[in-house]
Amino acid sequence: MTADVVAEFGAFLDDFLPQDYDENYQRYRRDVTLRREYQAAAFDEGWLIPEWGRDEGGRNLDGPQALAVKLLGAQRRVPRLLNIQGAGVAAPAIRAFGTPEQRERLLRPAARGDEWWALGMSEPGAGSDLASLRTTATLVDDVFIVNGQKVWTTQADEARWCTLYVRTDPQAPRHRGISCLILDLSSPGVHVRPIRTAGPAIESFCEVFLDDVRVPRESLLGPLNGGWGVAVASLEHERDMIWINTWLETNRALDPALRASEITEAQLVKLGRSLADAEGLRLTGLRTAAQRWAGISSPAWLTLKLLGSESVQRAALLSLEVAGQQALIDPAIFDERLESLGATIYGGTSEIQRDIIAERALGLPKGRS
Amino acid sequence: MMLDWTLLAPDEDSRDLARTARALFRTLPGAGAARAALDDGVARAALDKDAPAGDGTPVAPPAWFALVDAGYLDIAVPEDLGGLGRMIDLVVVLEEAGRSLLTAPLLPAVLAVQTQVAAGIHRPEARSAPAGFAVASGTVADGRCFADRVPVLGGVGAATLTAILRAPDRAWVVTLDAAADGVEVRQTEALIDPSRPVAVVRLAGAPSQDSQALTPADVEPVLARARVCAAADLVGIAAGALEAAVAHAVQRQQFGALIGSFQAVKHQLADAYLGVERARSLTYGAAVAVDHTGRAGGATTDGAPQLSTRDSLLAYAAAAEVAVQVAGRFIQVLGAMGVTFEADGHLYLRRAHQMTSLFGAPDDHFLAAARLERATARMKKEARTVREATR
């Protein structure tokens, strides 16, 4: 029964979270120790990725049950994972594409947050156009020799591992010459340089320089020259589930407007529109999941990234407006507004999302002119 | 409260219903009739022009009887009143009606029936004849209705009228015989959409058949069911305009390429798609919430009526906004053809603006939803304070 499972998760949260978590949420959301301990405890109890098998650290829940658990987590505003892409993107990719040895060694620490992951995708010349990446890996005596540069690599300065997308066949058509390597970021020849962000970002991001880095052949993730498939599956997984987190962030950003003692009618209209954003996001996520379980295909899920990131942005802007002059002396409000502007850039820009929606949901012809 | 979200994906029965409705509506007067009505006038569009002239009683067009036979008026009416099915089933049918620019008076009759159900004054026989629906300022005294200007959707050719009449300190849901003394028709011509005509009437002491008095706070919950239906119609209008715009973008060539391959066009259409899906999700969600609340908007302990009221406000606001936007965008994508009488762009735009002019602008509904949500947040906070004080 879904209700029983959800109740059990609720009891776990009651037990784990501090008594004053709701009242002092603003403080707790920056509490690094609590966030780290939450991830480990939730994973140990099988709640973090409950759809996984019991032997992998999950609870073997079906889709609806797992989604119900994650939604309750978002409703209760569980502590944000410190290294989201580890459990959220790298771990599912290792699980789907990894060898038995890779899964045995890497899966559990990635999901539990014991070992952090970075995603080595963008390059100075390859942003939205990921398939034009130029970092090369040449196989010499069962070792890949890697040369090139990655950029905008989140938490590369703190991560142990990196899913590194490299060109392994320069002759092949561009999508078919890419492979995904599991790079140990402590390898000789790897130089990581953090990039200073415009505001105090929650997560760092970095440049990664790769100079004759040696990666053993066993660290290939997925097929040789099959890296594009790994990347697409990873990003789809992210787009499929990230909405729950975005929904939480939107609601959080709406708190000030919901609680402000003074608010103008114009701001109330914006608040209403943002409520429609949040509910529209939640309901589209649920509807498309329900459709998938019922075996009906609907491309509406393709809108979740675009809708979610724009929802967060509108909510953060409203929050700043509602603060009025207080925003002048409370930089955290501006910082959130600034941070929200990244949402429509990372994980595939809104422009790319619109291309994807137009081509895959509406059947419009390819082309970017 | 947690709703069963598998209800958000219309099941096999709902999808069958939608397919059947789409096929039926294709055989009934739609875009062509809507265009013709702009030349021919309201009476020919709303009434059976081939009916023999008799005692002056309006005769409903054949399309009306097709809707009755299909059972569409019975959907989402409680079983003890002879109905069957859920609000989500009605929503998928109304969406198809909006998409096909159906001219037969399905929506006004559904709005009337659902408002009667919400107010607890529905009689099954009201579903057999065309009915008009209105929300207006007015009063009721000793069973007699007074209102100066009541714009009645589906008012031309209707046998009965259902209205929410609002005074500053109270309100009423009333049903009236359209032919009763004191129902004075003031205007039926010069309409923005004569294919689904609005009649402006004056109520000068017209006797109500049934009436239910409401406090001002009851009005929004009672309106929730009708609002979800209006949202479904608007989602259909938007989806129809988007489909037509896409169809044009994949066959029109300029600069040696299909215009749908240009980002300036495809991004507009992608935004339109996102807006339609957002509004559709909100409408389905509100339909599920309304079913959960039950027929009456009365107070219950779990906050369900408040939730379904808020959801219906958000659904209507989002659907109205996107219908107006996408109809306008369709006209833009068509280029110069978009402003011609022959193209369908203006037909969708007429429908969209008919709805927003009748039932209110999106912003007003966003604002009402925000007020409700702030009140709920305050209540929750007070409840928490009380809980902690008594711990």
Side-chain angles (χ1 to χ4, degrees):
Chain A
M1 272 296 290
T2 302
D4 296 337
V5 174
V6 172
E8 199 183 338
F9 179 53
F12 163 78
L13 293 178
D14 290 339
D15 196 42
F16 178 85
L17 295 174
Q19 282 247 320
D20 60 341
Y21 185 73
D22 290 345
E23 292 99 286
N24 295 315
Y25 175 72
Q26 289 304 333
R27 177 159 56 77
Y28 281 121
R29 63 183 283 267
R30 294 191 180 80
D31 185 333
V32 172
T33 308
L34 181 77
R35 289 165 62 191
R36 182 181 300 116
E37 287 174 355
Y38 171 75
Q39 181 170 2
F43 180 81
D44 290 344
E45 293 293 321
W47 293 120
L48 197 75
I49 314 178
E51 66 271 30
W52 283 9
R54 293 209 174 253
D55 55 328
E56 298 166 307
R59 286 183 165 242
N60 209 21
L61 298 190
D62 63 17
Q65 289 176 328
L67 183 50
V69 165
K70 288 173 190 176
L71 274 177
L72 179 66
Q75 248 162 19
R76 297 281 300 264
R77 301 188 183 180
V78 294
R80 182 186 170 97
L81 305 191
L82 287 169
N83 173 238
I84 288 178
Q85 65 271 18
V89 183
I94 295 162
R95 185 166 177 260
F97 295 97
T99 62
E101 294 75 26
Q102 288 169 342
R103 295 209 299 268
E104 173 65 27
R105 166 65 187 84
L106 300 168
L107 200 51
R108 189 183 154 82
R112 197 172 183 273
D114 297 335
E115 290 180 344
W116 286 18
W117 285 74
L119 309 179
M121 302 181 103
S122 295
E123 296 181 3
S128 290
D129 185 11
L130 181 62
S132 69
L133 64 86
R134 289 162 65 181
T135 295
T136 59
T138 314
L139 196 55
V140 181
D141 298 335
D142 277 350
V143 173
F144 290 102
I145 311 296
V146 181
N147 281 286
Q149 185 190 344
K150 294 288 170 181
V151 73
W152 323 132
T153 316
T154 300
Q155 295 176 321
D157 53 339
E158 295 174 276
R160 166 74 197 270
W161 303 102
C162 176
T163 49
L164 188 72
Y165 291 87
V166 293
R167 189 157 299 284
T168 39
D169 184 353
Q171 312 307 325
R174 26 189 245 139
H175 293 86
R176 292 194 209 130
I178 295 170
S179 299
C180 180
L181 303 181
I182 297 169
L183 169 69
D184 184 338
L185 283 165
S186 62
S187 307
V190 178
H191 300 283
V192 177
R193 205 184 64 172
I195 298 163
R196 186 169 180 191
T197 50
I202 303 175
E203 283 112 17
S204 67
F205 73 157
C206 307
E207 288 177 290
V208 180
F209 301 93
L210 303 151
D211 196 2
D212 282 335
V213 178
R214 296 170 65 85
V215 178
R217 186 182 181 129
E218 308 86 79
S219 295
L220 178 67
L221 182 63
L224 186 65
N225 298 319
W228 189 255
V230 179
V232 168
S234 301
L235 291 177
E236 291 207 344
H237 184 87
E238 190 183 22
R239 184 166 43 205
D240 206 18
M241 292 316 291
I242 198 79
W243 68 267
I244 296 180
N245 199 48
T246 327
W247 178 61
L248 185 158
E249 295 292 328
T250 304
N251 282 328
R252 189 174 62 72
L254 290 179
D255 271 352
L258 280 172
R259 292 183 185 159
S261 51
E262 282 178 42
I263 189 164
T264 66
E265 288 212 338
Q267 288 164 349
L268 279 173
V269 170
K270 290 180 186 175
L271 173 58
R273 200 170 267 113
S274 277
L275 291 171
D277 280 340
E279 271 300 275
L281 179 63
R282 183 179 73 96
L283 290 163
T284 303
L286 294 176
R287 177 163 67 94
T288 51
Q291 284 174 324
R292 193 173 322 120
W293 297 325
I296 320 160
S297 69
S298 161
W301 68 275
L302 294 167
T303 64
L304 289 169
K305 163 54 164 86
L306 181 58
L307 174 58
S309 53
E310 298 201 329
S311 298
V312 169
Q313 256 168 32
R314 284 191 280 263
L317 179 57
L318 175 62
S319 174
L320 185 130
E321 285 179 16
V322 168
Q325 294 183 337
Q326 180 66 22
L328 294 168
I329 52 172
D330 185 351
I333 300 170
F334 172 79
D335 291 341
E336 293 224 1
R337 156 81 178 134
L338 182 60
E339 175 114 19
S340 76
L341 290 175
T344 47
I345 299 170
Y346 58 69
T349 63
S350 288
E351 288 68 29
I352 293 297
Q353 301 301 323
R354 289 189 178 95
D355 283 347
I356 291 171
I357 291 167
E359 289 164 18
R360 290 177 55 188
L362 298 176
L364 294 176
K366 285 190 181 293
R368 300 208 162 85
S369 56
Chain B
M1 183 189 63
M2 196 169 73
L3 298 172
D4 176 5
W5 61 71
T6 57
L7 298 172
L8 292 170
D11 61 14
E12 195 58 47
D13 290 348
S14 287
R15 280 178 284 137
D16 270 347
L17 197 58
R19 269 191 295 271
T20 312
R22 187 186 286 218
L24 174 63
F25 296 158
R26 225 176 262 144
T27 68
L28 300 179
R35 207 182 334 271
L38 286 162
D39 285 335
D40 295 350
V42 168
R44 282 169 62 94
L47 305 175
D48 183 358
K49 56 184 183 294
D50 299 326
D55 57 359
T57 317
V59 178
W64 164 258
F65 297 101
L67 302 175
V68 173
D69 289 345
Y72 295 153
L73 277 300
D74 303 333
I75 308 176
V77 171
E79 283 179 23
D80 58 306
L81 294 169
L84 82 171
R86 306 152 302 175
M87 187 55 88
I88 189 93
D89 302 317
L90 184 53
V91 161
V92 299
V93 169
L94 291 172
E95 199 181 312
E96 293 300 338
R99 190 195 301 265
S100 68
L101 294 171
L102 184 75
T103 61
L106 175 63
L107 183 71
V110 162
L111 296 174
V113 166
Q114 292 298 325
T115 302
Q116 293 162 14
V117 168
I121 57 169
H122 178 62
R123 298 188 205 195
E125 61 267 27
R127 304 201 294 272
S128 56
F133 178 74
V135 180
S137 297
T139 58
V140 178
D142 297 330
R144 298 200 169 266
C145 307
F146 299 88
D148 196 36
R149 291 184 68 84
V150 184
V152 183
L153 184 66
V156 179
T160 59
L161 310 180
T162 297
I164 296 188
L165 297 178
R166 312 175 80 147
D169 55 344
R170 56 191 310 202
W172 298 263
V173 179
V174 294
T175 57
L176 303 111
D177 180 342
D181 286 343
V183 178
E184 298 167 6
V185 178
R186 295 176 58 153
Q187 189 186 342
T188 59
E189 294 298 331
L191 303 173
I192 60 169
D193 185 357
S195 72
R196 194 163 73 182
V198 169
V200 179
V201 303
R202 192 164 92 100
L203 300 178
S208 64
Q209 291 176 323
D210 290 297
S211 101
Q212 171 68 53
L214 305 173
T215 67
D218 288 336
V219 174
E220 297 297 330
V222 164
L223 263 171
R225 300 179 76 89
R227 218 176 254 132
V228 172
C229 296
D233 180 71
L234 286 157
V235 168
I237 292 168
L242 175 59
E243 276 167 17
V246 168
H248 180 72
V250 296
Q251 60 87 19
R252 169 74 176 163
Q253 292 210 11
Q254 283 292 277
F255 305 103
L258 294 171
I259 62 167
S261 69
F262 302 137
Q263 281 187 317
V265 173
K266 76 203 305 186
H267 285 192
Q268 287 196 45
L269 296 176
D271 282 335
Y273 177 78
L274 181 146
V276 171
E277 292 300 331
R278 173 175 174 268
R280 180 177 284 141
S281 294
L282 287 163
T283 303
Y284 288 7
V288 172
V290 157
D291 275 335
H292 181 81
T293 304
R295 76 174 77 168
T300 61
T301 48
D302 66 352
Q306 214 146 15
L307 205 63
S308 62
T309 303
R310 184 205 65 170
D311 290 353
S312 70
L313 288 163
L314 291 177
Y316 172 80
E321 190 166 65
V322 79
V324 169
Q325 271 169 5
V326 179
R329 207 154 278 188
F330 175 28
I331 289 173
Q332 180 70 27
V333 169
L334 284 173
M337 179 107 83
V339 293
T340 64
F341 186 73
E342 259 327 288
D344 288 347
H346 66 112
L347 301 177
Y348 290 102
L349 192 72
R350 287 172 188 281
R351 279 286 161 93
H353 279 303
Q354 180 190 55
M355 295 294 283
T356 57
S357 301
L358 256 177
F359 299 120
D363 280 7
D364 296 336
H365 291 76
F366 283 129
L367 187 141
R371 287 218 162 103
L372 204 56
E373 186 73 1
R374 276 168 56 87
T376 309
R378 260 198 310 279
M379 266 164 45
K380 275 188 196 154
K381 194 179 170 200
E382 280 162 17
R384 197 163 58 219
T385 312
V386 170
R387 242 194 346 266
E388 269 150 27
T390 54
R391 189 153 63 195

Short mmCIF file of all heavy atoms in Angstrom, two decimals, chain A residues 80-114:
data_model
loop_
_atom_site.label_atom_id
_atom_site.label_comp_id
_atom_site.label_asym_id
_atom_site.label_seq_id
_atom_site.Cartn_x
_atom_site.Cartn_y
_atom_site.Cartn_z
N ARG A 80 18.63 19.47 1.27
CA ARG A 80 19.14 19.34 -0.09
C ARG A 80 20.43 18.52 -0.07
O ARG A 80 21.29 18.71 0.80
CB ARG A 80 19.42 20.75 -0.60
CG ARG A 80 19.90 20.87 -2.02
CD ARG A 80 20.27 22.35 -2.27
NE ARG A 80 20.96 22.52 -3.53
CZ ARG A 80 20.36 22.89 -4.67
NH1 ARG A 80 19.06 23.09 -4.68
NH2 ARG A 80 21.06 23.04 -5.77
N LEU A 81 20.56 17.60 -1.02
CA LEU A 81 21.79 16.80 -1.10
C LEU A 81 22.96 17.73 -1.41
O LEU A 81 22.84 18.67 -2.17
CB LEU A 81 21.67 15.73 -2.18
CG LEU A 81 20.46 14.78 -2.08
CD1 LEU A 81 20.63 13.62 -3.06
CD2 LEU A 81 20.27 14.26 -0.67
N LEU A 82 24.10 17.43 -0.83
CA LEU A 82 25.26 18.29 -1.05
C LEU A 82 25.79 18.15 -2.47
O LEU A 82 26.27 19.11 -3.07
CB LEU A 82 26.36 17.93 -0.05
CG LEU A 82 26.11 18.37 1.40
CD1 LEU A 82 27.11 17.72 2.33
CD2 LEU A 82 26.16 19.88 1.52
N ASN A 83 25.71 16.94 -3.02
CA ASN A 83 26.27 16.66 -4.35
C ASN A 83 25.15 16.00 -5.16
O ASN A 83 25.10 14.79 -5.33
CB ASN A 83 27.49 15.74 -4.20
CG ASN A 83 28.06 15.25 -5.52
OD1 ASN A 83 28.15 14.06 -5.76
ND2 ASN A 83 28.45 16.15 -6.38
N ILE A 84 24.23 16.85 -5.62
CA ILE A 84 23.00 16.32 -6.24
C ILE A 84 23.30 15.43 -7.44
O ILE A 84 22.67 14.39 -7.63
CB ILE A 84 22.08 17.48 -6.65
CG1 ILE A 84 21.47 18.13 -5.40
CG2 ILE A 84 20.96 16.99 -7.56
CD1 ILE A 84 20.58 19.31 -5.68
N GLN A 85 24.27 15.84 -8.26
CA GLN A 85 24.49 15.08 -9.50
C GLN A 85 25.09 13.70 -9.24
O GLN A 85 25.06 12.84 -10.11
CB GLN A 85 25.34 15.87 -10.50
CG GLN A 85 26.77 16.14 -10.08
CD GLN A 85 26.91 17.43 -9.30
OE1 GLN A 85 25.94 17.99 -8.78
NE2 GLN A 85 28.13 17.92 -9.18
N GLY A 86 25.63 13.48 -8.03
CA GLY A 86 26.16 12.16 -7.71
C GLY A 86 25.04 11.14 -7.63
O GLY A 86 25.00 10.16 -8.38
N ALA A 87 24.09 11.38 -6.72
CA ALA A 87 22.97 10.45 -6.56
C ALA A 87 21.97 10.57 -7.71
O ALA A 87 21.36 9.58 -8.11
CB ALA A 87 22.26 10.70 -5.23
N GLY A 88 21.85 11.78 -8.27
CA GLY A 88 20.78 12.04 -9.24
C GLY A 88 21.13 11.70 -10.68
O GLY A 88 20.25 11.33 -11.45
N VAL A 89 22.41 11.85 -11.06
CA VAL A 89 22.76 11.64 -12.46
C VAL A 89 23.83 10.55 -12.61
O VAL A 89 23.66 9.61 -13.39
CB VAL A 89 23.28 12.95 -13.11
CG1 VAL A 89 23.58 12.75 -14.58
CG2 VAL A 89 22.25 14.06 -12.93
N ALA A 90 24.92 10.66 -11.85
CA ALA A 90 26.01 9.69 -12.02
C ALA A 90 25.57 8.29 -11.60
O ALA A 90 25.80 7.31 -12.32
CB ALA A 90 27.23 10.13 -11.22
N ALA A 91 24.94 8.18 -10.43
CA ALA A 91 24.56 6.86 -9.93
C ALA A 91 23.61 6.12 -10.89
O ALA A 91 23.86 4.95 -11.22
CB ALA A 91 23.96 6.96 -8.52
N PRO A 92 22.55 6.77 -11.38
CA PRO A 92 21.69 6.06 -12.34
C PRO A 92 22.45 5.65 -13.61
O PRO A 92 22.17 4.60 -14.19
CB PRO A 92 20.60 7.07 -12.67
CG PRO A 92 20.58 8.01 -11.52
CD PRO A 92 21.98 8.07 -11.00
N ALA A 93 23.41 6.50 -14.04
CA ALA A 93 24.18 6.16 -15.25
C ALA A 93 25.06 4.94 -15.00
O ALA A 93 25.17 4.04 -15.84
CB ALA A 93 25.03 7.36 -15.69
N ILE A 94 25.70 4.90 -13.81
CA ILE A 94 26.54 3.74 -13.47
C ILE A 94 25.67 2.48 -13.39
O ILE A 94 26.03 1.41 -13.87
CB ILE A 94 27.26 3.97 -12.13
CG1 ILE A 94 28.25 5.13 -12.24
CG2 ILE A 94 27.99 2.70 -11.68
CD1 ILE A 94 28.65 5.70 -10.90
N ARG A 95 24.50 2.64 -12.80
CA ARG A 95 23.60 1.50 -12.64
C ARG A 95 23.14 0.99 -14.01
O ARG A 95 23.07 -0.21 -14.24
CB ARG A 95 22.39 1.94 -11.82
CG ARG A 95 21.44 0.82 -11.48
CD ARG A 95 20.50 1.30 -10.39
NE ARG A 95 19.51 0.29 -10.05
CZ ARG A 95 18.26 0.29 -10.51
NH1 ARG A 95 17.87 1.22 -11.34
NH2 ARG A 95 17.42 -0.66 -10.13
N ALA A 96 22.88 1.92 -14.93
CA ALA A 96 22.36 1.50 -16.24
C ALA A 96 23.45 1.01 -17.17
O ALA A 96 23.24 0.08 -17.94
CB ALA A 96 21.61 2.67 -16.89
N PHE A 97 24.63 1.63 -17.12
CA PHE A 97 25.66 1.34 -18.12
C PHE A 97 26.90 0.66 -17.56
O PHE A 97 27.76 0.22 -18.31
CB PHE A 97 26.08 2.64 -18.83
CG PHE A 97 24.98 3.26 -19.63
CD1 PHE A 97 24.21 4.30 -19.13
CD2 PHE A 97 24.71 2.81 -20.92
CE1 PHE A 97 23.19 4.87 -19.87
CE2 PHE A 97 23.70 3.38 -21.69
CZ PHE A 97 22.94 4.41 -21.16
N GLY A 98 27.04 0.61 -16.22
CA GLY A 98 28.29 0.14 -15.63
C GLY A 98 28.48 -1.37 -15.72
O GLY A 98 27.53 -2.13 -15.82
N THR A 99 29.75 -1.79 -15.67
CA THR A 99 30.08 -3.21 -15.56
C THR A 99 29.78 -3.64 -14.12
O THR A 99 29.66 -2.79 -13.23
CB THR A 99 31.56 -3.44 -15.84
OG1 THR A 99 32.32 -2.73 -14.85
CG2 THR A 99 31.96 -2.94 -17.23
N PRO A 100 29.68 -4.95 -13.87
CA PRO A 100 29.47 -5.41 -12.49
C PRO A 100 30.52 -4.85 -11.54
O PRO A 100 30.20 -4.43 -10.43
CB PRO A 100 29.57 -6.94 -12.60
CG PRO A 100 29.17 -7.24 -14.00
CD PRO A 100 29.65 -6.08 -14.83
N GLU A 101 31.78 -4.77 -11.99
CA GLU A 101 32.85 -4.25 -11.14
C GLU A 101 32.62 -2.76 -10.83
O GLU A 101 32.80 -2.31 -9.70
CB GLU A 101 34.22 -4.43 -11.80
CG GLU A 101 34.65 -5.88 -11.98
CD GLU A 101 33.92 -6.60 -13.11
OE1 GLU A 101 33.45 -5.92 -14.06
OE2 GLU A 101 33.78 -7.84 -13.03
N GLN A 102 32.24 -2.01 -11.86
CA GLN A 102 31.99 -0.57 -11.66
C GLN A 102 30.83 -0.35 -10.69
O GLN A 102 30.89 0.50 -9.80
CB GLN A 102 31.70 0.11 -13.00
CG GLN A 102 32.93 0.24 -13.90
CD GLN A 102 32.58 0.67 -15.31
OE1 GLN A 102 31.43 0.57 -15.74
NE2 GLN A 102 33.57 1.13 -16.04
N ARG A 103 29.79 -1.14 -10.87
CA ARG A 103 28.63 -0.96 -9.98
C ARG A 103 29.00 -1.30 -8.54
O ARG A 103 28.62 -0.60 -7.61
CB ARG A 103 27.46 -1.84 -10.46
CG ARG A 103 26.93 -1.42 -11.83
CD ARG A 103 25.45 -1.74 -11.99
NE ARG A 103 25.17 -3.15 -11.88
CZ ARG A 103 25.12 -3.99 -12.91
NH1 ARG A 103 25.30 -3.51 -14.14
NH2 ARG A 103 24.86 -5.26 -12.74
N GLU A 104 29.75 -2.38 -8.39
CA GLU A 104 30.14 -2.82 -7.05
C GLU A 104 30.99 -1.75 -6.34
O GLU A 104 30.79 -1.43 -5.18
CB GLU A 104 30.93 -4.14 -7.18
CG GLU A 104 31.56 -4.66 -5.90
CD GLU A 104 30.52 -5.03 -4.86
OE1 GLU A 104 29.39 -5.37 -5.26
OE2 GLU A 104 30.84 -4.97 -3.65
N ARG A 105 31.91 -1.15 -7.12
CA ARG A 105 32.84 -0.20 -6.52
C ARG A 105 32.21 1.18 -6.29
O ARG A 105 32.49 1.85 -5.30
CB ARG A 105 34.09 -0.09 -7.42
CG ARG A 105 35.02 1.08 -7.14
CD ARG A 105 35.68 0.99 -5.77
NE ARG A 105 36.44 2.19 -5.44
CZ ARG A 105 35.91 3.28 -4.91
NH1 ARG A 105 34.61 3.35 -4.64
NH2 ARG A 105 36.67 4.34 -4.63
N LEU A 106 31.38 1.64 -7.24
CA LEU A 106 31.03 3.06 -7.30
C LEU A 106 29.60 3.43 -6.90
O LEU A 106 29.34 4.56 -6.46
CB LEU A 106 31.26 3.58 -8.74
CG LEU A 106 32.68 3.47 -9.25
CD1 LEU A 106 32.72 3.74 -10.76
CD2 LEU A 106 33.60 4.46 -8.51
N LEU A 107 28.67 2.48 -7.08
CA LEU A 107 27.26 2.85 -6.99
C LEU A 107 26.87 3.35 -5.59
O LEU A 107 26.30 4.43 -5.42
CB LEU A 107 26.41 1.63 -7.38
CG LEU A 107 24.97 1.91 -7.79
CD1 LEU A 107 24.91 3.00 -8.85
CD2 LEU A 107 24.31 0.63 -8.29
N ARG A 108 27.19 2.53 -4.60
CA ARG A 108 26.76 2.84 -3.24
C ARG A 108 27.34 4.15 -2.70
O ARG A 108 26.61 5.02 -2.21
CB ARG A 108 27.13 1.65 -2.35
CG ARG A 108 26.57 1.71 -0.98
CD ARG A 108 27.07 0.49 -0.18
NE ARG A 108 27.07 0.83 1.23
CZ ARG A 108 25.97 0.77 1.98
NH1 ARG A 108 24.84 0.35 1.45
NH2 ARG A 108 26.02 1.13 3.24
N PRO A 109 28.68 4.35 -2.83
CA PRO A 109 29.23 5.64 -2.33
C PRO A 109 28.67 6.85 -3.07
O PRO A 109 28.52 7.92 -2.47
CB PRO A 109 30.74 5.51 -2.58
CG PRO A 109 31.01 4.08 -2.90
CD PRO A 109 29.73 3.44 -3.30
N ALA A 110 28.35 6.68 -4.37
CA ALA A 110 27.77 7.81 -5.12
C ALA A 110 26.39 8.14 -4.59
O ALA A 110 26.03 9.31 -4.38
CB ALA A 110 27.71 7.48 -6.61
N ALA A 111 25.58 7.11 -4.36
CA ALA A 111 24.21 7.34 -3.92
C ALA A 111 24.16 7.84 -2.48
O ALA A 111 23.33 8.67 -2.12
CB ALA A 111 23.39 6.05 -4.06
N ARG A 112 25.07 7.33 -1.67
CA ARG A 112 25.06 7.69 -0.25
C ARG A 112 25.70 9.05 0.02
O ARG A 112 25.55 9.62 1.10
CB ARG A 112 25.79 6.59 0.53
CG ARG A 112 25.52 6.59 2.03
CD ARG A 112 26.12 5.36 2.69
NE ARG A 112 25.82 5.31 4.11
CZ ARG A 112 26.56 5.90 5.05
NH1 ARG A 112 27.64 6.59 4.71
NH2 ARG A 112 26.21 5.83 6.32
N GLY A 113 26.44 9.56 -0.98
CA GLY A 113 27.09 10.85 -0.81
C GLY A 113 28.47 10.74 -0.20
O GLY A 113 29.08 11.75 0.16
N ASP A 114 29.00 9.52 -0.10
CA ASP A 114 30.35 9.34 0.47
C ASP A 114 31.43 9.76 -0.52
O ASP A 114 32.50 10.22 -0.11
CB ASP A 114 30.55 7.88 0.87
CG ASP A 114 29.59 7.46 1.96
OD1 ASP A 114 29.14 8.36 2.72
OD2 ASP A 114 29.27 6.26 2.06
#
